[in-house]
Amino acid sequence: MFKISSVFRRLLLSSLLLANLAAGAELDRPRIGLVLGGGGARGAAHIGVLEVLEKLHIPVDCVAGTSMGALVAGAYAAGMAPAVMRKALGAADWNDMFNDNPDYSEMSYRNKVTLRRYLPGLETGVSADGAKYQPGVVTGQKIKLFFNQLVRANQGERYIENLPLPLSIVATDIGTGERVVFRDGSLTSAMRASMSVPGLLAPVNYQGRKLVDGGLVDNVPIQEVKDRCQADVVIAVNVGSPLLKAEEVGSLLTVSAQMVNILTEQNVTRSLALLGNGDILIQPDLVGISASDFPRHAETADRGRVAAEALTTRLQQLSQPRENYLAWWEGIEVTSRVSPRIDAIEVVGLAKVNPAMVERYLQVKQNDKVRPSEINRNLLRMYGDGYYENIDYQVLSQRERNILRVLPIEKSWGPDYLRFALNLESNSTQGATFGLRMAYHKTWLNSLGGELITNVDLGNNNGIGVSFYQPIDPAQRFFVDANVGIGETHTRLFVDEKQVAEYRDAQGAMGASVGANVGLLGQVRLGWIERKRSYSLEIGDPSLPDGDLKYGGYRATLDFDQLNALYFPSAGWSAKLGYFDSAGADYSRLDAEVRGVFSIEDTVFNASASFSGSPRGHLPIYDAAAMGGFLNLTAFAKNQIIGDNIAYVGVRGEQIIGRLPLGLRGDMRVGVAVEVAQVGNRFLSTGRNQVYDSLAFYLGGETPFGPTYVGAGYSSSGVANLFLFVGVP
């Protein structure tokens, strides 16, 4: 018994001695402040620096960050190890991160209709105070959700003041130019504010202030760590972009970038002057890596690691015993992956939008756990309705209850808008045409989401129309629609492949329908339409009789669209079906189209098939099916072939050769298309069951101005066509 007690006593004394030695070592070591500067994508170098600090067992007492440095500092203070951080940044799709919208397939059908007709970047708010504009090219929807996932906000809202490692994040008040330092509050909101590059990312509204990138006032916040934790030693990492050379500044974009760089470099110079002899400055060699090179994150992180390793001798002076370092990191690292079960769900912050519109996408139910991939997809689908500036969430604990709070922020420039679109089309057969489309769009006229659109088209084709859309249930599953419009177009007529006449076609139409939105697949509707048309010869031979005609009937449509992009998709499918049965004229018309797209890396394959014809009677010439134009028998001019019972098949391959910079969606492609059509009865031509083919080569893609393409088409019949198109069809 005495022997056991002696052993126990010796073990206890040894343990106390080791604890006292560890505590003494902890007290004897200098207080270290870590500073991670801003620099956009160049900030990935911070991860490599953190890897070296981890390898050398260097703990820090506080950390401060700006812009991309705020992202890395925030993730580090929230307990994310450098290796995990590197992996998370590697898994992120940075090209997609700066596109707020979900895939086109995940948007509501109503928003898809708007995107088909108008450019989203030109959306302008209208109010009694005048015009309102979007606060940035990117509102930061996906960026904020990425931050949430990075710091595991699904397990509970992360507040800066509750983090185990003292953290400061720097932003700028764009209204006053003041430096704003987050030492408490929402971690992810602070990270998002500090990264709000003016003009690219929308400012963050915080306590009545509009906050943007902290790099404008304090890109390397050295004084902050000196004040925050009375740091004896500062480790500062500077990854800022150098100034452009005079000859490189030649556009509005480069002038703006240079102005920001000048402001940033001035405050960086002042900050670096605060470093003392015992402080350590790490400046990775980032030549050739720009602030927008996010896809090169791994290479950038490696360069940061190399820069830190080059200072190993100095850094080793700050090393601690392995057990001391692990004890320090154990108090910071978050290893739990358990998300709490939700007791209640709240939707807060809505003024106009009916909460049912948000709730219809929310798959998280009471007693469920919040999974990042699921909640992110839910919120992006909500965003895809087009009513919101951004949508966020919080997981809060109140009175032993876990609450999922959904935070939709309606567009500050809504709910009424001016919308615009333009197009320029030129081909070697018909010459050039120009069009400008404008609309005044009033949304949320009532609690069910009624909308009124008045649109005007000017150019080679002119027209004006009014459309009223009224959902009849809060979740907008069912609706009624009414529209009326007048306009005029110019119709060219061809006999075989020779243009023989051009007619002025004055039109008027009115209609009404009822329909249903089938989830995110698309829409079905049934209605009645009345049309009046008047033809008058402008040039050429009189192939059509002058005069007025009226016709009407019921129309049924199905439009399912699961393509992942509007104009140049890389995956998905679509199916469209339309049936019109004329009451006055003895005919009916069927239009059907299916399309499938898939890709292998950067090679995209498309296949489509369509049919337009008359199940009953024969299509009249004034309601004929038409072929011709880009990817619709490309070798032929637009609507060059008109007739009845036209079947079409087209296949094409496209190679993605480049992507637009951050904030500008879309990619550029080179493509080849093979097309074949059979025309059962071509009007103004001899022969039946004629077969036409086309081989086309083109360069194009989706740009901020809409789809843009240039190319050439050739048919074995001897017809050829050069074409250029810019804008919205």
Side-chain angles (χ1 to χ4, degrees), residues 418-537:
L418 290 176
R419 302 190 184 278
F420 303 90
L422 56 85
N423 68 70
L424 172 65
E425 186 171 3
S426 179
N427 62 69
S428 56
T429 305
Q430 296 177 326
T433 61
F434 171 80
L436 172 65
R437 181 176 299 145
M438 301 173 289
Y440 179 43
H441 186 185
K442 294 182 67 66
T443 70
W444 290 98
L445 299 173
N446 50 55
S447 62
L448 295 179
E451 298 183 10
L452 182 69
I453 300 180
T454 303
N455 65 277
V456 176
D457 284 88
L458 300 173
N460 292 80
N461 298 323
N462 301 302
I464 184 171
V466 179
S467 174
F468 177 67
Y469 174 84
Q470 179 59 63
I472 56 179
D473 68 309
Q476 295 193 3
R477 289 164 296 195
F478 305 100
F479 63 88
V480 295
D481 190 6
N483 56 78
V484 60
I486 58 173
E488 66 173 22
T489 61
H490 297 271
T491 301
R492 293 180 171 92
L493 296 181
F494 292 77
V495 172
D496 293 322
E497 312 315 332
K498 179 181 179 182
Q499 182 177 331
V500 296
E502 181 174 325
Y503 277 80
R504 174 181 174 273
D505 180 8
Q507 306 175 33
M510 64 174 60
S513 60
V514 297
N517 293 305
V518 186
L520 293 173
L521 282 176
Q523 189 180 90
V524 294
R525 64 168 65 199
L526 175 65
W528 185 274
I529 187 170
E530 286 285 341
R531 290 177 174 153
K532 179 179 180 181
R533 304 181 76 165
S534 177
Y535 289 96
S536 58
L537 181 67

Side-chain angles (χ1 to χ4, degrees), residues 427-696:
N427 62 69
S428 56
T429 305
Q430 296 177 326
T433 61
F434 171 80
L436 172 65
R437 181 176 299 145
M438 301 173 289
Y440 179 43
H441 186 185
K442 294 182 67 66
T443 70
W444 290 98
L445 299 173
N446 50 55
S447 62
L448 295 179
E451 298 183 10
L452 182 69
I453 300 180
T454 303
N455 65 277
V456 176
D457 284 88
L458 300 173
N460 292 80
N461 298 323
N462 301 302
I464 184 171
V466 179
S467 174
F468 177 67
Y469 174 84
Q470 179 59 63
I472 56 179
D473 68 309
Q476 295 193 3
R477 289 164 296 195
F478 305 100
F479 63 88
V480 295
D481 190 6
N483 56 78
V484 60
I486 58 173
E488 66 173 22
T489 61
H490 297 271
T491 301
R492 293 180 171 92
L493 296 181
F494 292 77
V495 172
D496 293 322
E497 312 315 332
K498 179 181 179 182
Q499 182 177 331
V500 296
E502 181 174 325
Y503 277 80
R504 174 181 174 273
D505 180 8
Q507 306 175 33
M510 64 174 60
S513 60
V514 297
N517 293 305
V518 186
L520 293 173
L521 282 176
Q523 189 180 90
V524 294
R525 64 168 65 199
L526 175 65
W528 185 274
I529 187 170
E530 286 285 341
R531 290 177 174 153
K532 179 179 180 181
R533 304 181 76 165
S534 177
Y535 289 96
S536 58
L537 181 67
E538 292 195 326
I539 57 173
D541 298 330
S543 302
L544 292 176
D546 289 351
D548 299 338
L549 59 94
K550 296 181 181 179
Y551 61 102
Y554 72 83
R555 179 171 177 79
T557 61
L558 176 150
D559 187 353
F560 286 177
D561 194 337
Q562 288 295 286
L563 297 171
N564 67 342
L566 174 54
Y567 297 113
F568 288 86
S570 57
W573 61 273
S574 66
K576 295 176 173 59
L577 183 67
Y579 181 79
F580 172 75
D581 195 285
S582 175
D586 188 20
Y587 81 98
S588 63
R589 173 171 176 156
L590 174 67
D591 295 284
E593 177 187 0
V594 293
R595 181 181 177 189
V597 183
F598 73 95
S599 60
I600 301 175
E601 295 183 346
D602 284 343
T603 303
V604 184
F605 300 93
N606 293 258
S608 61
S610 65
F611 171 82
S612 294
S614 48
R616 180 175 63 84
H618 301 281
L619 293 184
I621 193 170
Y622 57 79
D623 194 19
M627 298 295 297
F630 180 56
L631 301 181
N632 192 37
L633 283 186
T634 308
F636 297 83
K638 187 176 182 179
N639 299 335
Q640 183 170 341
I641 298 172
I642 60 173
D644 191 6
N645 296 328
I646 298 179
Y648 165 89
V649 174
V651 294
R652 67 182 193 268
E654 298 171 340
Q655 183 66 35
I656 298 174
I657 58 174
R659 290 180 171 84
L660 295 178
L662 298 179
L664 304 176
R665 70 182 186 281
D667 52 50
M668 301 303 295
R669 307 179 181 187
V670 292
V672 57
V674 179
E675 305 168 274
V676 178
Q678 182 178 40
V679 182
N681 179 25
R682 181 177 178 183
F683 299 152
L684 307 178
S685 180
T686 58
R688 296 178 60 83
N689 294 318
Q690 296 170 298
V691 176
Y692 300 88
D693 59 56
S694 173
L695 175 66

Side-chain angles (χ1 to χ4, degrees), residues 308-328:
E309 288 174 339
L311 296 170
T312 297
T313 301
R314 293 190 62 192
L315 288 170
Q316 276 181 330
Q317 299 173 17
L318 305 174
S319 295
Q320 295 297 306
R322 182 174 183 274
E323 59 272 15
N324 289 9
Y325 177 82
L326 292 179
W328 169 81

Side-chain angles (χ1 to χ4, degrees), residues 125-141:
V126 180
S127 70
D129 298 327
K132 296 182 179 180
Y133 302 97
Q134 301 178 50
V137 176
V138 180
T139 67
Q141 176 62 36

Side-chain angles (χ1 to χ4, degrees), residues 40 50 74 136 171 217 277 318 329 333 365 367-368 537 609 619 629 635:
L50 293 179
V217 291
N277 293 332
L318 305 174
W329 180 243
E333 186 177 23
K365 306 300 181 184
N367 294 321
D368 286 349
L537 181 67
L619 293 184

Side-chain angles (χ1 to χ4, degrees), residues 260-304:
V260 172
N261 287 344
I262 289 172
L263 290 173
T264 301
E265 285 304 301
Q266 287 176 346
N267 72 66
V268 168
T269 300
R270 291 193 297 269
S271 291
L272 296 184
L274 299 172
L275 294 174
N277 293 332
D279 297 326
I280 300 174
L281 174 63
I282 302 174
Q283 298 192 94
D285 177 7
L286 300 175
V287 173
I289 297 178
S290 72
S292 61
D293 280 333
F294 286 96
R296 297 173 66 182
H297 58 86
E299 176 190 351
T300 308
D302 290 341
R303 294 201 195 184

